[in-house]
Amino acid sequence: MTSDVAAGPPRSAADVLRSTLLSGRMLYVAFVALIVIFAIASPVFLTTENFANVGRQTALVSIMAVGMTLVIISGEFDLSVGSVMALAGVAAALAMQGLGDVWIVGAVVAIATGAAVGLVNGLLTTLLSIPSFLITLGSLSIARGLALLVTGTRPINIVDESYYRIFGEGYVLGVPVPIVWTIVVALAGIVLLHFSTFGRKIYATGGNATAARYTGINTRRVKTICLVIAGTLAGLAALVLTARSHAARPDAGAGIELDVIAAVILGGAALSGGRGTVIGALIGSLMIGILNNGLNLVGVDPSLQLAVKGLIIWFAVALGKR
Amino acid sequence: MDGIATTLRARAFSAEGLLVGALVALVVFFSIASPVFLTLGNLENIGRQTALVSIIAVGMTFVIVSGEFDLSVGSTLALAGVISAIAMKEIAQYAAIGALAGLATGAAVGLLNGILTTRLRIPSFLITLGSLSIARGIVMLITDTRPVVITNRSYFAIFGEGHFLGVPTPIVWTVVVILGGIIALHFTGFGRAVYAAGGNPTAARYSGIPVIRVKVISLTLAGFLAGLAGLVLSARAHAARPDVGAGLELDAITAVILGGAALSGGRGTVIGTLIGSLIIGILGNGLVLIGVDPSIQIIVKGLIIWLSVSMSRG
């Protein structure tokens, strides 16, 4: 007890942020390169209108990627976000149909549905000590089945104009609301993850759960909260999606979890936990979106786009290794 | 290395015992609930329906026991089927050409997965997530998203519609693959190396086991078996469709985990996997027979995953 204990307190969040940014420098180079290539290849690419398009198209993935970033840093996974998005949208639409077409009803129900599924994911994962990969694989099926069951597999129409405006089609200071929501979520995510005690606890939990427990961090609670946030944001994504399509489809969002995870990993997060940033995940999401958008503009076959997306994942993970 | 047999025996009386109990309970329940369930015709149906998942799940068992993952098997299945159909159309309508092209395609995808995973030291979860997209994209591209028709009768007979000693060929292939898997995993030096590579790669390396080669072979095998499943599927449909097999990887992984394998590697058996696949298949079949809404079936499938993973831990 006399010697200087070389106790390794968890690195400060700023340190983590800095080192991640440095190690992920290649990502930024690739990101800029992609923009330059498409700007040269297509005259439409660098227009404000097209950027608004990319922002709208990537809003769903970006919003959910912020939640997934927290989950992955905490050392867990959420494969259920696509199904949860469908279930939350359907629940919102049904609630508005039954209780009255007021946007706040839909909003509360969607968010609550997402949070509830996230809570179940979190409790089952932490209390049973089962990998979240498996628990959320189960919830993926269960949420999808519920969404199909309560709708009879049919889309539910939404008729509230202010709902469209607030979540899907309106503008704030000239910026389309899906982009506004993305920015709000990203800022909140950055503050929570990089500038709060809870954020440091997330890194500690994912980096070394045993050490975190010994320093008094309730790792179960941290992981559960991260999964609840991921579910909540899937609920918000449901609002954005259904407000743009004026209906909630029970088959929406199938497979989107892979895009979301790819964005987070592209952004420099470690699959094993303890590493990652919100900004990285956003850039990952934008890269995937710009790639889709740019390949469309240049007129590349959609089949080839799918193959290119796979190559990008290979490329990204190889870069991430340095 | 003697310990493996002991471990195997011990497990048969614990988790696998429970699993068999669950299987029997399901069979008894559906036999009472539906008069059709226990007929020979329906049992053949179950066998045919579970053939794809069972064949793929055997390959997945090797991969998971070796400590890796393969998310690309569904896309690989589609690619192998399509290449097989195109090869027969372009070269000559012989079953052997189709079979060779399909199996080689599957093995090639698996080999690529294995080499990228081990050489770049990137989690196979991510590498095969990439191949999932790439293989599917290639399938869509070369078929222009349209099915490729197959006209070779012996191809149908050998892989999809024939009978061997009265047993439908998809079931025969499943049995062959399972027996082959049991021998390779539980009775050969390679099988012991697979357990060692997944259980503790560092220790395995120090005891002279070529961990990288073991993982590459396991992933190649998974691709090869996905290719075989592609042949079985396209022989039954008389065409190779570019959109088949999406999501099949989740069923295969569920079967393996249900069968008692550890996600972290080093644990799992082929028989357990088969029982896992049968439980999923019987549940799907039985719920249809007693007239349960398909949406509820999806929910039940999720509950089964929850139940099985909590059982395997307890």
Side-chain angles (χ1 to χ4, degrees):
Chain A
M1 286 295 124
T2 50
S3 66
D4 247 348
V5 180
R11 290 187 297 166
S12 84
D15 279 344
V16 174
L17 182 63
R18 204 173 308 122
S19 68
T20 308
L21 286 183
L22 287 178
S23 69
R25 199 188 283 143
M26 281 306 291
L27 174 73
Y28 297 85
V29 175
F31 184 60
V32 173
L34 210 58
I35 292 178
V36 171
I37 291 171
F38 284 129
I40 295 169
S42 159
V44 194
F45 182 77
L46 263 191
T47 58
T48 325
E49 225 168 297
N50 189 52
F51 267 68
N53 264 339
V54 173
R56 262 194 291 254
Q57 285 159 3
T58 52
L60 297 183
V61 172
S62 298
I63 289 172
M64 289 194 280
V66 172
M68 190 71 82
T69 303
L70 305 186
V71 172
I72 288 182
I73 293 175
S74 82
E76 300 295 336
F77 262 105
D78 191 350
L79 296 181
S80 70
V81 287
S83 299
V84 174
M85 182 174 83
L87 181 63
V90 162
L94 285 175
M96 287 164 72
Q97 227 175 42
L99 300 173
D101 274 307
V102 193
W103 69 270
I104 187 82
V105 171
V108 169
V109 170
I111 299 284
T113 306
V117 180
L119 183 63
V120 172
N121 284 339
L123 290 179
L124 284 177
T125 299
T126 54
L127 294 183
L128 298 177
S129 301
I130 292 171
S132 49
F133 171 78
L134 286 170
I135 290 296
T136 56
L137 190 60
S139 349
L140 179 155
S141 259
I142 294 171
R144 179 70 62 190
L146 281 175
L148 291 168
L149 190 67
V150 294
T151 58
T153 74
R154 280 182 296 272
I156 310 289
N157 285 329
I158 296 172
V159 292
D160 184 41
E161 291 284 340
S162 50
Y163 183 89
Y164 303 160
R165 223 179 26 253
I166 294 171
F167 296 109
E169 297 178 335
Y171 291 83
V172 174
L173 304 174
V175 181
V177 280
I179 300 179
V180 174
W181 282 112
T182 308
I183 294 172
V184 168
V185 169
L187 288 178
I190 289 173
V191 170
L192 180 73
L193 187 59
H194 304 303
F195 298 98
S196 80
T197 320
F198 182 69
R200 282 193 291 277
K201 286 183 182 171
I202 299 178
Y203 281 106
T205 299
N208 187 337
T210 314
R213 251 192 312 273
Y214 279 120
T215 51
I217 293 172
N218 185 340
T219 57
R220 285 181 173 174
R221 190 187 299 158
V222 170
K223 290 182 175 203
T224 304
I225 292 175
C226 288
L227 282 160
V228 170
I229 292 175
T232 307
L233 290 179
L236 177 61
L239 293 173
V240 172
L241 176 67
T242 53
R244 279 182 58 205
S245 55
H246 294 200
R249 297 176 53 100
D251 58 350
I256 203 170
E257 62 278 0
L258 294 187
D259 279 2
V260 174
I261 293 175
V264 176
I265 301 296
L266 257 176
L271 270 182
S272 47
R275 196 153 59 87
T277 61
V278 171
I279 292 285
L282 279 187
I283 290 185
S285 165
L286 278 177
M287 255 179 96
I288 296 175
I290 285 178
L291 205 74
N292 284 337
N293 175 276
L295 291 176
N296 264 334
L297 289 183
V298 186
V300 171
D301 190 310
S303 310
L304 194 57
Q305 290 182 32
L306 196 59
V308 169
K309 201 162 119 187
L311 287 172
I312 288 294
I313 295 179
W314 280 1
F315 183 67
V317 291
L319 271 187
K321 292 291 291 186
R322 264 176 307 157
Chain B
M1 287 297 147
D2 208 34
I4 287 165
T6 324
T7 316
L8 211 67
R9 218 170 297 125
R11 289 190 50 72
F13 292 103
S14 56
E16 277 174 24
L18 271 178
L19 206 62
V20 174
L23 183 66
V24 172
L26 275 179
V27 170
V28 171
F29 173 76
F30 284 127
S31 306
I32 297 169
S34 158
V36 195
F37 181 79
L38 256 195
T39 59
L40 194 62
N42 187 54
L43 292 181
E44 277 188 12
N45 265 342
I46 295 175
R48 263 193 290 255
Q49 287 159 1
T50 52
L52 295 183
V53 174
S54 299
I55 290 173
I56 289 180
V58 170
M60 191 70 83
T61 306
F62 280 82
V63 172
I64 289 182
V65 171
S66 82
E68 301 294 338
F69 263 107
D70 190 350
L71 296 182
S72 69
V73 285
S75 299
T76 306
L77 172 146
L79 183 64
V82 162
I83 297 277
S84 161
I86 289 177
M88 284 192 288
K89 208 164 94 175
E90 298 296 326
I91 303 173
Q93 285 286 350
Y94 288 115
I97 291 182
L100 212 63
L103 296 176
T105 304
V109 175
L111 182 65
L112 191 61
N113 284 337
I115 289 175
L116 285 176
T117 298
T118 53
R119 295 292 156 194
L120 299 177
R121 288 196 211 151
I122 291 170
S124 48
F125 171 79
L126 285 172
I127 289 295
T128 57
L129 187 62
S131 353
L132 179 154
S133 261
I134 296 172
R136 182 69 64 187
I138 293 176
V139 170
M140 297 288 185
L141 200 63
I142 58 181
T143 60
D144 210 5
T145 73
R146 279 187 293 270
V148 184
V149 174
I150 300 171
T151 54
N152 186 295
R153 295 210 162 267
S154 51
Y155 185 87
F156 302 157
I158 295 172
F159 294 109
E161 297 179 332
H163 290 262
F164 183 76
L165 303 175
V167 182
T169 45
I171 301 180
V172 174
W173 283 111
T174 309
V175 172
V176 168
V177 167
I178 283 167
L179 289 179
I182 289 176
I183 292 172
L185 189 59
H186 304 306
F187 297 100
T188 68
F190 173 71
R192 282 191 292 275
V194 173
Y195 280 103
N200 188 336
T202 314
R205 249 191 309 275
Y206 280 118
S207 52
I209 290 169
V211 172
I212 286 183
R213 195 189 306 159
V214 167
K215 292 189 172 195
V216 172
I217 293 176
S218 297
L219 280 159
T220 307
L221 184 67
F224 177 83
L225 290 179
L228 178 61
L231 299 180
V232 171
L233 182 61
S234 40
R236 279 180 56 202
H238 292 203
R241 294 169 49 103
D243 57 349
V244 292
L248 204 57
E249 62 279 359
L250 293 188
D251 279 357
I253 293 175
T254 306
V256 176
I257 301 298
L258 197 56
L263 269 182
S264 47
R267 197 152 58 85
T269 61
V270 174
I271 289 288
T273 296
L274 173 66
I275 297 174
S277 165
L278 283 177
I279 287 180
I280 297 173
I282 286 176
L283 206 71
N285 175 279
L287 291 177
V288 171
L289 286 185
I290 60 175
V292 170
D293 189 312
S295 308
I296 294 183
Q297 291 178 35
I298 301 177
I299 298 174
V300 170
K301 202 162 122 186
L303 290 173
I304 288 293
I305 298 177
W306 279 1
L307 190 75
S308 66
V309 293
S310 51
M311 245 173 50
S312 79
R313 291 274 148 165

